[in-house]
Amino acid sequence: MQTLGTKALILDVALHRFAEHGYNGTSLNEIADKVGIRRPSLLHHFPSKEALYRAVLLDAFADWFALLEVAVAGDVKRGWPQVERVLRAAFRFFEDHPDFVRLARWEALEGGPMLSQELGDLLRPFFDRGTEFLEREMDAGRLRRYDARQLLLTGYGAVLSYLSDASLMTSLLDVDPLSIKMLAARREHVIDVLRNALQP
Amino acid sequence: MQTLGTKALILDVALHRFAEHGYNGTSLNEIADKVGIRRPSLLHHFPSKEALYRAVLLDAFADWFALLEVAVAGDVKRGWPQVERVLRAAFRFFEDHPDFVRLARWEALEGGPMLSQELGDLLRPFFDRGTEFLEREMDAGRLRRYDARQLLLTGYGAVLSYLSDASLMTSLLDVDPLSIKMLAARREHVIDVLRNALQP
DNA sequence: CACCATCAACCTACACCTAGGTAGGCGACA
DNA sequence: TGTCGCCTACCTAGGTGTAGGTTGATGGTG
């Protein structure tokens, strides 16, 4: 049942590998082997390792941007309920796309193969929209006052680190941090902390 | 004025390189060049790349463990003031040891060159002591109730991500995230958020 | 003091492997 | 007959690690 074309299959396998071991830790041979072709055949579909990586990264982020667009559409609610709505949407996305989380983390750490700047530019509009929303709600007294940009970065760290650093979490928690149960516990915890910090 | 012996100099340079580019992204040639010797001379001091990496990592963590010992010594205060005391000590350490932060992040992401388990074992006692402290204070009503372990992990993510993902922060903030001013802003922000989340 | 053995720290040269990427051929199929 | 997708064979760069030699400091001994 391999409905995926070879190209899509390559992207799929590469996403897993890059997410797991990063750019430097992944070889084209590994990817090709898992796809079931030889390396030169892989390079027939993508001109270079870096081109493949870019394609993987942009694909992954396209999904994330699409979700963000939907999640913030209309600013349906105000104050904390809207924050919680977006948070839950984000959590659901991250839980469904663990490879995306790790890929993003590698990219953020490495500064990427000269791609980080570009990604930052794509991320920036969403960051600014988030900032504006938070500032508006704080001004209206519906959220406790903080530096809105710092607050977004705090959310970023609190949400993503747990998911990206799974092996460390396993050492500390003695359970699979990515099990359904632990993911739910994590989600509710973060939301709980932020609610208490944000509600006036 | 090179008061450092060659071995210490190697460790120093290697720490920088591993922190910046990770294990796979760093070659012994780079390190040797920067030290001012040839690679075989470097391998005279450390038997292999992995041995060098282990030495770097254990050194870095030894400093961190030493600080933790001091910071938690005596549980001088109770409730939030003690939490804030430890937080500030940790921030100061991280600001003084940016390479440590990034090294830890690489290690957590990569699962490390088979070292992560070992590191987890070293970290574990501190994690458990933190958990116990928080639970005691929560039971006494001096801190708002959360899952203590989740809370520690939230702190981990919120504090370290900003410092380790500096290149991403630069893209989003348009300023040097590691400047004295921004570091202070970050510190006060995180403490502020956690205070509001934790004080009953 | 003169002599010699030892050893640490460095070097050059080399062996070996794996990586990414290229050249060119072969078969299937429109 | 052309083109697509794949192959084998090959190239080069760069990585880790080893072999073996040089130098210079140390330190015991006649």
Side-chain angles (χ1 to χ4, degrees), chain A residues 93-151:
Chain A
F93 181 85
F94 296 147
E95 289 168 21
D96 289 347
H97 300 78
D99 286 332
F100 167 79
V101 174
R102 284 183 59 87
L103 196 66
R105 243 40 233 292
W106 279 108
E107 191 57 26
L109 240 196
E110 229 176 335
M114 70 210 78
L115 186 49
S116 211
Q117 177 61 41
E118 205 177 324
L119 253 189
D121 291 346
L122 289 174
L123 229 40
R124 189 59 189 274
F126 291 100
F127 186 72
D128 290 340
R129 273 165 67 178
T131 305
E132 284 158 26
F133 168 80
L134 289 173
E135 276 170 355
R136 199 182 333 126
E137 298 301 302
M138 289 173 188
D139 286 345
R142 287 189 286 267
L143 292 176
R144 203 194 304 259
R145 171 151 302 283
Y146 295 101
D147 180 315
R149 306 199 302 173
Q150 291 286 352
L151 187 59

Short mmCIF file of all heavy atoms in Angstrom, two decimals, chain A residues 93-151:
data_model
loop_
_atom_site.label_atom_id
_atom_site.label_comp_id
_atom_site.label_asym_id
_atom_site.label_seq_id
_atom_site.Cartn_x
_atom_site.Cartn_y
_atom_site.Cartn_z
N PHE A 93 -1.48 20.26 17.42
CA PHE A 93 -0.60 20.18 16.24
C PHE A 93 0.73 19.53 16.62
O PHE A 93 1.22 18.64 15.92
CB PHE A 93 -0.36 21.57 15.67
CG PHE A 93 0.52 21.57 14.45
CD1 PHE A 93 -0.01 21.34 13.19
CD2 PHE A 93 1.88 21.78 14.56
CE1 PHE A 93 0.80 21.33 12.06
CE2 PHE A 93 2.71 21.77 13.43
CZ PHE A 93 2.16 21.54 12.18
N PHE A 94 1.32 19.98 17.70
CA PHE A 94 2.64 19.44 18.09
C PHE A 94 2.55 17.96 18.43
O PHE A 94 3.45 17.18 18.11
CB PHE A 94 3.19 20.21 19.28
CG PHE A 94 3.46 21.65 18.97
CD1 PHE A 94 3.30 22.63 19.94
CD2 PHE A 94 3.86 22.05 17.70
CE1 PHE A 94 3.55 23.96 19.66
CE2 PHE A 94 4.10 23.38 17.40
CZ PHE A 94 3.94 24.34 18.39
N GLU A 95 1.46 17.58 19.09
CA GLU A 95 1.31 16.16 19.42
C GLU A 95 1.14 15.33 18.15
O GLU A 95 1.59 14.19 18.10
CB GLU A 95 0.10 15.99 20.36
CG GLU A 95 0.38 16.55 21.75
CD GLU A 95 -0.89 16.66 22.60
OE1 GLU A 95 -1.88 15.98 22.31
OE2 GLU A 95 -0.87 17.47 23.57
N ASP A 96 0.49 15.91 17.16
CA ASP A 96 0.29 15.19 15.89
C ASP A 96 1.53 15.22 15.00
O ASP A 96 1.65 14.44 14.06
CB ASP A 96 -0.88 15.78 15.10
CG ASP A 96 -2.22 15.47 15.74
OD1 ASP A 96 -2.24 14.60 16.64
OD2 ASP A 96 -3.22 16.09 15.36
N HIS A 97 2.42 16.17 15.25
CA HIS A 97 3.59 16.34 14.39
C HIS A 97 4.88 16.40 15.21
O HIS A 97 5.57 17.42 15.20
CB HIS A 97 3.47 17.62 13.56
CG HIS A 97 2.28 17.67 12.66
ND1 HIS A 97 1.02 17.94 13.12
CD2 HIS A 97 2.16 17.47 11.32
CE1 HIS A 97 0.16 17.91 12.10
NE2 HIS A 97 0.82 17.63 10.99
N PRO A 98 5.18 15.30 15.90
CA PRO A 98 6.38 15.33 16.75
C PRO A 98 7.65 15.62 15.94
O PRO A 98 8.58 16.24 16.45
CB PRO A 98 6.41 13.93 17.36
CG PRO A 98 5.54 13.09 16.47
CD PRO A 98 4.51 14.00 15.92
N ASP A 99 7.68 15.18 14.70
CA ASP A 99 8.87 15.44 13.88
C ASP A 99 9.05 16.93 13.62
O ASP A 99 10.17 17.42 13.55
CB ASP A 99 8.79 14.69 12.54
CG ASP A 99 9.02 13.20 12.72
OD1 ASP A 99 9.73 12.84 13.66
OD2 ASP A 99 8.50 12.43 11.91
N PHE A 100 7.94 17.62 13.47
CA PHE A 100 8.03 19.06 13.26
C PHE A 100 8.69 19.73 14.45
O PHE A 100 9.57 20.60 14.29
CB PHE A 100 6.65 19.67 13.04
CG PHE A 100 6.65 21.16 13.12
CD1 PHE A 100 7.09 21.94 12.06
CD2 PHE A 100 6.24 21.81 14.29
CE1 PHE A 100 7.12 23.32 12.14
CE2 PHE A 100 6.27 23.19 14.37
CZ PHE A 100 6.71 23.95 13.31
N VAL A 101 8.29 19.33 15.63
CA VAL A 101 8.84 19.95 16.83
C VAL A 101 10.35 19.78 16.90
O VAL A 101 11.10 20.74 17.12
CB VAL A 101 8.19 19.36 18.10
CG1 VAL A 101 8.86 19.91 19.35
CG2 VAL A 101 6.71 19.66 18.12
N ARG A 102 10.80 18.57 16.68
CA ARG A 102 12.24 18.33 16.77
C ARG A 102 12.99 19.02 15.64
O ARG A 102 14.07 19.58 15.85
CB ARG A 102 12.52 16.83 16.78
CG ARG A 102 12.21 16.18 18.14
CD ARG A 102 12.56 14.71 18.16
NE ARG A 102 13.97 14.46 17.88
CZ ARG A 102 14.93 14.46 18.81
NH1 ARG A 102 14.63 14.72 20.06
NH2 ARG A 102 16.17 14.21 18.47
N LEU A 103 12.43 19.01 14.47
CA LEU A 103 13.06 19.69 13.35
C LEU A 103 13.24 21.18 13.66
O LEU A 103 14.31 21.75 13.44
CB LEU A 103 12.20 19.52 12.09
CG LEU A 103 12.86 19.83 10.77
CD1 LEU A 103 13.96 18.83 10.48
CD2 LEU A 103 11.84 19.84 9.64
N ALA A 104 12.20 21.77 14.19
CA ALA A 104 12.25 23.19 14.53
C ALA A 104 13.33 23.44 15.57
O ALA A 104 14.07 24.43 15.52
CB ALA A 104 10.89 23.66 15.03
N ARG A 105 13.43 22.52 16.52
CA ARG A 105 14.41 22.67 17.59
C ARG A 105 15.83 22.58 17.06
O ARG A 105 16.71 23.37 17.43
CB ARG A 105 14.18 21.56 18.60
CG ARG A 105 13.79 22.01 19.99
CD ARG A 105 12.85 23.16 19.96
NE ARG A 105 13.35 24.25 20.78
CZ ARG A 105 13.45 24.20 22.10
NH1 ARG A 105 13.09 23.14 22.76
NH2 ARG A 105 13.93 25.23 22.77
N TRP A 106 16.08 21.60 16.18
CA TRP A 106 17.40 21.50 15.56
C TRP A 106 17.73 22.79 14.84
O TRP A 106 18.84 23.33 14.94
CB TRP A 106 17.43 20.36 14.54
CG TRP A 106 17.62 18.99 15.13
CD1 TRP A 106 16.68 18.01 15.22
CD2 TRP A 106 18.82 18.45 15.69
NE1 TRP A 106 17.23 16.89 15.81
CE2 TRP A 106 18.54 17.14 16.09
CE3 TRP A 106 20.11 18.95 15.87
CZ2 TRP A 106 19.50 16.31 16.69
CZ3 TRP A 106 21.06 18.13 16.46
CH2 TRP A 106 20.75 16.83 16.86
N GLU A 107 16.77 23.26 14.10
CA GLU A 107 16.98 24.46 13.31
C GLU A 107 17.30 25.65 14.20
O GLU A 107 18.21 26.43 13.91
CB GLU A 107 15.71 24.72 12.48
CG GLU A 107 15.84 25.75 11.42
CD GLU A 107 16.95 25.46 10.42
OE1 GLU A 107 17.30 24.28 10.25
OE2 GLU A 107 17.46 26.42 9.84
N ALA A 108 16.56 25.75 15.30
CA ALA A 108 16.78 26.88 16.21
C ALA A 108 18.16 26.80 16.87
O ALA A 108 18.82 27.81 17.09
CB ALA A 108 15.69 26.90 17.27
N LEU A 109 18.59 25.58 17.16
CA LEU A 109 19.88 25.42 17.82
C LEU A 109 21.03 25.66 16.85
O LEU A 109 21.97 26.40 17.14
CB LEU A 109 20.00 23.99 18.35
CG LEU A 109 20.20 23.78 19.83
CD1 LEU A 109 20.66 22.38 20.11
CD2 LEU A 109 21.13 24.79 20.45
N GLU A 110 20.91 25.02 15.71
CA GLU A 110 22.02 25.03 14.79
C GLU A 110 22.21 26.39 14.12
O GLU A 110 23.28 26.70 13.62
CB GLU A 110 21.81 23.95 13.73
CG GLU A 110 23.02 23.07 13.53
CD GLU A 110 22.76 21.95 12.54
OE1 GLU A 110 21.60 21.57 12.40
OE2 GLU A 110 23.73 21.49 11.94
N GLY A 111 21.14 27.18 14.13
CA GLY A 111 21.16 28.33 13.28
C GLY A 111 20.97 27.86 11.85
O GLY A 111 20.92 28.65 10.92
N GLY A 112 20.83 26.53 11.71
CA GLY A 112 20.50 25.92 10.43
C GLY A 112 21.57 26.08 9.38
O GLY A 112 22.46 26.90 9.52
N PRO A 113 21.49 25.29 8.35
CA PRO A 113 22.41 25.48 7.24
C PRO A 113 22.02 26.76 6.50
O PRO A 113 21.38 26.73 5.47
CB PRO A 113 22.19 24.23 6.37
CG PRO A 113 21.37 23.29 7.19
CD PRO A 113 20.59 24.15 8.13
N MET A 114 22.40 27.85 7.10
CA MET A 114 22.15 29.21 6.58
C MET A 114 20.68 29.51 6.28
O MET A 114 20.35 30.41 5.54
CB MET A 114 23.00 29.48 5.34
CG MET A 114 22.62 28.71 4.09
SD MET A 114 24.04 28.38 3.03
CE MET A 114 24.80 26.99 3.89
N LEU A 115 19.80 28.74 6.89
CA LEU A 115 18.38 28.89 6.59
C LEU A 115 17.64 29.65 7.68
O LEU A 115 16.57 30.19 7.48
CB LEU A 115 17.75 27.51 6.41
CG LEU A 115 16.31 27.46 5.96
CD1 LEU A 115 16.11 28.36 4.76
CD2 LEU A 115 15.91 26.06 5.63
N SER A 116 18.25 29.71 8.82
CA SER A 116 17.55 30.22 10.00
C SER A 116 17.01 31.64 9.78
O SER A 116 15.91 31.96 10.20
CB SER A 116 18.49 30.20 11.19
OG SER A 116 17.75 30.00 12.36
N GLN A 117 17.79 32.45 9.14
CA GLN A 117 17.37 33.81 8.88
C GLN A 117 16.05 33.82 8.12
O GLN A 117 15.09 34.49 8.48
CB GLN A 117 18.46 34.53 8.06
CG GLN A 117 18.10 35.95 7.67
CD GLN A 117 17.88 36.83 8.88
OE1 GLN A 117 18.61 36.74 9.85
NE2 GLN A 117 16.84 37.66 8.85
N GLU A 118 16.03 33.02 7.05
CA GLU A 118 14.85 32.92 6.19
C GLU A 118 13.63 32.46 6.99
O GLU A 118 12.54 33.03 6.87
CB GLU A 118 15.18 31.88 5.12
CG GLU A 118 14.43 32.02 3.83
CD GLU A 118 14.91 30.97 2.83
OE1 GLU A 118 16.14 30.68 2.85
OE2 GLU A 118 14.08 30.44 2.09
N LEU A 119 13.82 31.45 7.83
CA LEU A 119 12.73 30.95 8.65
C LEU A 119 12.25 32.02 9.61
O LEU A 119 11.05 32.18 9.82
CB LEU A 119 13.20 29.73 9.44
CG LEU A 119 12.68 28.38 8.99
CD1 LEU A 119 13.04 27.34 10.00
CD2 LEU A 119 11.19 28.45 8.77
N GLY A 120 13.18 32.72 10.18
CA GLY A 120 12.82 33.80 11.07
C GLY A 120 11.93 34.81 10.37
O GLY A 120 10.94 35.29 10.94
N ASP A 121 12.26 35.09 9.11
CA ASP A 121 11.45 36.05 8.36
C ASP A 121 10.02 35.55 8.15
O ASP A 121 9.07 36.33 8.17
CB ASP A 121 12.10 36.31 6.99
CG ASP A 121 13.41 37.08 7.14
OD1 ASP A 121 13.66 37.61 8.24
OD2 ASP A 121 14.17 37.14 6.16
N LEU A 122 9.88 34.24 7.96
CA LEU A 122 8.54 33.68 7.78
C LEU A 122 7.76 33.69 9.10
O LEU A 122 6.55 33.90 9.13
CB LEU A 122 8.63 32.24 7.27
CG LEU A 122 9.11 32.08 5.82
CD1 LEU A 122 9.29 30.60 5.47
CD2 LEU A 122 8.10 32.72 4.87
N LEU A 123 8.51 33.42 10.18
CA LEU A 123 7.88 33.34 11.50
C LEU A 123 7.46 34.72 12.00
O LEU A 123 6.47 34.87 12.71
CB LEU A 123 8.91 32.73 12.47
CG LEU A 123 8.50 31.58 13.35
CD1 LEU A 123 7.63 30.59 12.61
CD2 LEU A 123 9.76 30.88 13.87
N ARG A 124 8.23 35.67 11.64
CA ARG A 124 8.10 37.01 12.18
C ARG A 124 6.68 37.59 12.15
O ARG A 124 6.20 38.12 13.18
CB ARG A 124 9.07 37.93 11.43
CG ARG A 124 9.21 39.30 12.02
CD ARG A 124 9.69 39.19 13.47
NE ARG A 124 9.62 40.51 14.07
CZ ARG A 124 10.59 41.42 13.99
NH1 ARG A 124 11.71 41.11 13.36
NH2 ARG A 124 10.43 42.60 14.53
N PRO A 125 5.97 37.51 11.01
CA PRO A 125 4.61 38.08 10.98
C PRO A 125 3.69 37.48 12.03
O PRO A 125 2.91 38.21 12.66
CB PRO A 125 4.12 37.73 9.57
CG PRO A 125 5.34 37.51 8.76
CD PRO A 125 6.38 36.98 9.70
N PHE A 126 3.82 36.16 12.23
CA PHE A 126 2.97 35.53 13.24
C PHE A 126 3.36 36.01 14.63
O PHE A 126 2.50 36.26 15.48
CB PHE A 126 3.09 34.01 13.15
CG PHE A 126 2.47 33.46 11.91
CD1 PHE A 126 3.27 33.11 10.82
CD2 PHE A 126 1.11 33.30 11.80
CE1 PHE A 126 2.70 32.60 9.66
CE2 PHE A 126 0.53 32.79 10.65
CZ PHE A 126 1.33 32.44 9.57
N PHE A 127 4.64 36.12 14.84
CA PHE A 127 5.13 36.61 16.12
C PHE A 127 4.57 38.01 16.39
O PHE A 127 4.09 38.30 17.49
CB PHE A 127 6.66 36.62 16.09
CG PHE A 127 7.30 36.96 17.40
CD1 PHE A 127 7.30 36.05 18.45
CD2 PHE A 127 7.92 38.18 17.58
CE1 PHE A 127 7.90 36.37 19.66
CE2 PHE A 127 8.53 38.50 18.79
CZ PHE A 127 8.51 37.60 19.83
N ASP A 128 4.62 38.83 15.37
CA ASP A 128 4.14 40.21 15.55
C ASP A 128 2.63 40.25 15.79
O ASP A 128 2.14 41.02 16.62
CB ASP A 128 4.50 41.04 14.32
CG ASP A 128 6.01 41.29 14.24
OD1 ASP A 128 6.68 41.15 15.29
OD2 ASP A 128 6.53 41.60 13.16
N ARG A 129 1.92 39.39 15.07
CA ARG A 129 0.47 39.35 15.30
C ARG A 129 0.16 38.90 16.71
O ARG A 129 -0.74 39.44 17.38
CB ARG A 129 -0.21 38.44 14.28
CG ARG A 129 -0.57 39.18 13.01
CD ARG A 129 -0.90 38.22 11.89
NE ARG A 129 -2.13 37.46 12.12
CZ ARG A 129 -2.63 36.59 11.22
NH1 ARG A 129 -1.99 36.41 10.07
NH2 ARG A 129 -3.74 35.93 11.47
N GLY A 130 0.89 37.90 17.17
CA GLY A 130 0.71 37.44 18.53
C GLY A 130 0.98 38.55 19.53
O GLY A 130 0.24 38.76 20.49
N THR A 131 2.07 39.26 19.27
CA THR A 131 2.43 40.37 20.15
C THR A 131 1.32 41.41 20.21
O THR A 131 0.91 41.86 21.29
CB THR A 131 3.72 41.04 19.64
OG1 THR A 131 4.74 40.06 19.53
CG2 THR A 131 4.17 42.12 20.60
N GLU A 132 0.82 41.76 19.04
CA GLU A 132 -0.23 42.79 18.99
C GLU A 132 -1.48 42.35 19.73
O GLU A 132 -2.08 43.12 20.48
CB GLU A 132 -0.58 43.11 17.53
CG GLU A 132 0.46 43.99 16.85
CD GLU A 132 0.41 43.85 15.33
OE1 GLU A 132 -0.66 43.51 14.79
OE2 GLU A 132 1.47 44.07 14.69
N PHE A 133 -1.87 41.10 19.49
CA PHE A 133 -3.05 40.59 20.19
C PHE A 133 -2.87 40.69 21.70
O PHE A 133 -3.73 41.22 22.42
CB PHE A 133 -3.33 39.14 19.79
CG PHE A 133 -4.34 38.47 20.67
CD1 PHE A 133 -5.70 38.69 20.48
CD2 PHE A 133 -3.94 37.63 21.71
CE1 PHE A 133 -6.63 38.08 21.31
CE2 PHE A 133 -4.87 37.03 22.54
CZ PHE A 133 -6.22 37.26 22.34
N LEU A 134 -1.73 40.21 22.17
CA LEU A 134 -1.50 40.20 23.62
C LEU A 134 -1.50 41.62 24.18
O LEU A 134 -2.09 41.88 25.24
CB LEU A 134 -0.18 39.49 23.95
CG LEU A 134 -0.18 37.98 23.75
CD1 LEU A 134 1.22 37.40 23.94
CD2 LEU A 134 -1.15 37.31 24.73
N GLU A 135 -0.89 42.52 23.46
CA GLU A 135 -0.82 43.90 23.97
C GLU A 135 -2.21 44.54 24.03
O GLU A 135 -2.53 45.25 24.97
CB GLU A 135 0.13 44.73 23.09
CG GLU A 135 1.58 44.54 23.55
CD GLU A 135 2.59 45.15 22.60
OE1 GLU A 135 2.19 45.63 21.53
OE2 GLU A 135 3.79 45.10 22.92
N ARG A 136 -3.02 44.25 23.02
CA ARG A 136 -4.37 44.77 23.00
C ARG A 136 -5.15 44.27 24.22
O ARG A 136 -5.81 45.03 24.94
CB ARG A 136 -5.06 44.33 21.70
CG ARG A 136 -6.27 45.16 21.35
CD ARG A 136 -6.95 44.65 20.07
NE ARG A 136 -6.04 43.96 19.16
CZ ARG A 136 -6.26 42.72 18.70
NH1 ARG A 136 -7.34 42.04 19.05
NH2 ARG A 136 -5.39 42.16 17.88
N GLU A 137 -5.03 42.96 24.45
CA GLU A 137 -5.79 42.37 25.56
C GLU A 137 -5.27 42.86 26.91
O GLU A 137 -6.03 43.05 27.85
CB GLU A 137 -5.72 40.84 25.48
CG GLU A 137 -6.33 40.26 24.21
CD GLU A 137 -7.79 40.65 24.05
OE1 GLU A 137 -8.59 40.32 24.95
OE2 GLU A 137 -8.14 41.30 23.04
N MET A 138 -3.97 43.07 26.98
CA MET A 138 -3.42 43.60 28.24
C MET A 138 -3.89 45.03 28.47
O MET A 138 -4.27 45.40 29.58
CB MET A 138 -1.89 43.56 28.19
CG MET A 138 -1.31 42.15 28.26
SD MET A 138 0.49 42.17 27.98
CE MET A 138 0.84 40.42 27.88
N ASP A 139 -3.88 45.80 27.40
CA ASP A 139 -4.33 47.19 27.52
C ASP A 139 -5.78 47.25 28.00
O ASP A 139 -6.17 48.13 28.76
CB ASP A 139 -4.21 47.90 26.16
CG ASP A 139 -2.75 48.21 25.82
OD1 ASP A 139 -1.92 48.13 26.75
OD2 ASP A 139 -2.46 48.51 24.65
N ALA A 140 -6.55 46.26 27.51
CA ALA A 140 -7.97 46.25 27.88
C ALA A 140 -8.19 45.65 29.26
O ALA A 140 -9.33 45.54 29.71
CB ALA A 140 -8.76 45.46 26.83
N GLY A 141 -7.09 45.22 29.88
CA GLY A 141 -7.22 44.67 31.23
C GLY A 141 -7.73 43.25 31.27
O GLY A 141 -8.11 42.75 32.33
N ARG A 142 -7.78 42.61 30.12
CA ARG A 142 -8.29 41.23 30.11
C ARG A 142 -7.19 40.21 30.37
O ARG A 142 -7.47 39.04 30.59
CB ARG A 142 -8.97 40.95 28.75
CG ARG A 142 -10.32 41.64 28.62
CD ARG A 142 -11.05 41.17 27.38
NE ARG A 142 -10.47 41.71 26.16
CZ ARG A 142 -10.90 42.83 25.58
NH1 ARG A 142 -11.90 43.53 26.11
NH2 ARG A 142 -10.33 43.26 24.47
N LEU A 143 -5.97 40.67 30.30
CA LEU A 143 -4.84 39.80 30.65
C LEU A 143 -3.90 40.60 31.55
O LEU A 143 -3.78 41.82 31.41
CB LEU A 143 -4.07 39.36 29.40
CG LEU A 143 -4.77 38.42 28.41
CD1 LEU A 143 -3.89 38.17 27.20
CD2 LEU A 143 -5.13 37.10 29.08
N ARG A 144 -3.24 39.88 32.45
CA ARG A 144 -2.27 40.55 33.29
C ARG A 144 -1.14 41.09 32.42
O ARG A 144 -0.81 40.52 31.38
CB ARG A 144 -1.70 39.55 34.30
CG ARG A 144 -1.14 40.23 35.54
CD ARG A 144 -0.28 39.26 36.34
NE ARG A 144 -0.99 38.05 36.71
CZ ARG A 144 -1.50 37.83 37.93
NH1 ARG A 144 -1.42 38.76 38.85
NH2 ARG A 144 -2.10 36.69 38.21
N ARG A 145 -0.56 42.19 32.84
CA ARG A 145 0.43 42.85 31.99
C ARG A 145 1.82 42.21 32.07
O ARG A 145 2.34 41.93 33.14
CB ARG A 145 0.54 44.33 32.39
CG ARG A 145 1.69 45.08 31.71
CD ARG A 145 1.39 46.55 31.52
NE ARG A 145 0.18 46.78 30.75
CZ ARG A 145 0.06 46.68 29.42
NH1 ARG A 145 1.06 46.32 28.71
NH2 ARG A 145 -1.07 46.91 28.82
N TYR A 146 2.36 41.92 30.89
CA TYR A 146 3.76 41.48 30.75
C TYR A 146 4.33 42.11 29.49
O TYR A 146 3.59 42.70 28.70
CB TYR A 146 3.85 39.96 30.59
CG TYR A 146 3.40 39.15 31.77
CD1 TYR A 146 2.15 38.55 31.77
CD2 TYR A 146 4.23 38.97 32.86
CE1 TYR A 146 1.73 37.79 32.85
CE2 TYR A 146 3.82 38.20 33.94
CZ TYR A 146 2.57 37.62 33.93
OH TYR A 146 2.17 36.86 35.00
N ASP A 147 5.62 41.93 29.28
CA ASP A 147 6.20 42.22 27.97
C ASP A 147 5.70 41.13 27.02
O ASP A 147 6.02 39.95 27.17
CB ASP A 147 7.74 42.18 28.07
CG ASP A 147 8.39 42.48 26.72
OD1 ASP A 147 7.94 41.92 25.70
OD2 ASP A 147 9.36 43.25 26.70
N ALA A 148 4.90 41.56 26.04
CA ALA A 148 4.20 40.58 25.20
C ALA A 148 5.16 39.67 24.45
O ALA A 148 4.91 38.45 24.30
CB ALA A 148 3.29 41.30 24.20
N ARG A 149 6.28 40.20 24.00
CA ARG A 149 7.20 39.39 23.23
C ARG A 149 7.91 38.36 24.11
O ARG A 149 8.06 37.19 23.74
CB ARG A 149 8.20 40.28 22.50
CG ARG A 149 7.47 41.34 21.66
CD ARG A 149 8.33 41.95 20.60
NE ARG A 149 9.52 42.58 21.13
CZ ARG A 149 10.49 43.05 20.35
NH1 ARG A 149 10.39 42.95 19.02
NH2 ARG A 149 11.54 43.63 20.88
N GLN A 150 8.30 38.81 25.29
CA GLN A 150 8.89 37.86 26.24
C GLN A 150 7.90 36.75 26.56
O GLN A 150 8.26 35.58 26.69
CB GLN A 150 9.31 38.59 27.52
CG GLN A 150 10.48 39.53 27.35
CD GLN A 150 11.80 38.80 27.20
OE1 GLN A 150 11.88 37.58 27.37
NE2 GLN A 150 12.84 39.54 26.85
N LEU A 151 6.64 37.14 26.68
CA LEU A 151 5.63 36.15 27.03
C LEU A 151 5.50 35.08 25.94
O LEU A 151 5.41 33.88 26.24
CB LEU A 151 4.29 36.85 27.24
CG LEU A 151 3.16 35.98 27.76
CD1 LEU A 151 3.51 35.37 29.11
CD2 LEU A 151 1.86 36.80 27.87
#
